[in-house]
Amino acid sequence: MLPGVVFGGRKDSASVQTDLRAFERSYRRWGNTTLLSLEGLDGDAIPALIHGVARDTLTGRLLHVDFQRVSLTEKTHAEVPLRFVHESPAVKTLGAVLVHARDHVNVEAFPQDIPHAIDVDLSPLVEIDDALYIRDLVVDKTMVSVVDDPDELVVKAVPVHIEEEPVVAAAVPVEGEVPAEGEEAPAEGAAPAAAGAAAPGAAAGKPGAAAAAKPGAPAAKPGAPAPKTGAPAGKPGAPAPKGESPKKG
């Protein structure tokens, strides 16, 4: 059984229940705009509309239904679905796409005059940017009044926009890239060499560097023989006093 409630009509709400499978099959045809007759309440048939249903979010199974009492002599408001019919020439010949802004409208009418659906003819959408508004809907205005803003958009034919993403070229060395001839790839994490820095092997004290005298070694004069390692500066063959630093030559 499907539990439900009946409300409105200047009467108290009442809990009801109905056959779940029978209601499910019929509700697909009725929608929320078909006038129903509820029997079994107070022995009288009650005219009503389906105000809404609740379903299980995972299975879609009906859980609850709300019925609204109505009077056949008083107008009421209801949401009527829009049914889009025929084909738009803008879609067929120009490759446009349709943007649907509304799938229902709100109407005012006697319960027995509420339409099951309102047809929207797409044939007038011939060119790009052609549109239909609520004022363009075809209804029997002697029985049904659309209460929504007449200038509100219903459907529009728009062009298809395909945007290409720009390709950004970055001058960043790729891992494993072979450096150009004559270049040396910098070590990972090393700071770039300063302009004018000495090349590897030119630093003093390293093998292959220009021979620099050890501390205390005399500088050789042009044309003079190089002194032995550790020999004091001065005249050739002259011993330096003990404890004194050799004087410059």
Side-chain angles (χ1 to χ4, degrees):
M1 300 301 291
L2 175 66
V5 64
V6 181
F7 68 95
R10 303 181 183 88
K11 293 183 180 180
D12 295 336
S13 301
S15 298
V16 296
Q17 59 182 11
T18 184
D19 184 83
L20 174 61
R21 293 184 179 179
F23 180 85
E24 179 70 67
R25 289 193 300 268
S26 301
Y27 181 63
R28 296 173 185 173
R29 303 191 309 270
W30 297 337
N32 290 3
T33 59
T34 300
L35 181 64
L36 305 178
S37 178
L38 302 182
E39 298 178 354
L41 292 173
D42 302 328
D44 297 327
I46 299 175
L49 294 174
I50 298 175
H51 184 265
V53 296
R55 294 182 180 272
D56 186 282
T57 55
L58 297 178
T59 64
R61 182 176 182 271
L62 282 169
L63 300 177
H64 192 270
V65 56
D66 293 334
F67 296 101
Q68 180 181 2
R69 296 187 187 97
V70 293
S71 171
L72 300 181
T73 59
E74 294 180 4
K75 290 186 176 182
T76 186
H77 290 80
E79 290 185 355
V80 178
L82 298 177
R83 182 169 54 199
F84 298 90
V85 297
H86 304 140
E87 188 175 6
S88 165
V91 174
K92 186 177 181 179
T93 62
L94 302 179
V97 294
L98 297 181
V99 175
H100 297 268
R102 296 292 298 264
D103 61 359
H104 71 275
V105 291
N106 297 289
V107 303
E108 182 183 46
F110 290 108
Q112 61 271 27
D113 294 333
I114 297 176
H116 183 67
I118 296 177
D119 290 341
V120 181
D121 186 6
L122 299 176
S123 300
L125 303 180
V126 178
E127 302 291 340
I128 299 294
D129 292 334
D130 283 351
L132 295 174
Y133 300 87
I134 288 181
R135 62 175 177 267
D136 300 319
L137 299 178
V138 178
V139 297
D140 188 350
K141 296 182 180 180
T142 61
M143 295 189 300
V144 179
S145 175
V146 180
V147 298
D148 292 320
D149 184 356
D151 294 328
E152 191 170 348
L153 179 67
V154 174
V155 61
K156 184 176 183 179
V158 299
V160 179
H161 294 287
I162 302 176
E163 297 183 0
E164 296 183 0
E165 296 184 0
V167 179
V168 180
V172 179
V174 182
E175 184 178 355
E177 181 182 2
V178 179
E181 186 177 354
E183 293 182 358
E184 250 186 63
E188 185 177 356
K206 289 188 178 180
K214 293 184 179 180
K221 293 182 178 180
K228 294 182 180 180
T229 304
K235 296 182 179 180
K242 292 183 181 180
E244 291 183 8
S245 299
K247 296 180 179 181
K248 294 183 180 180

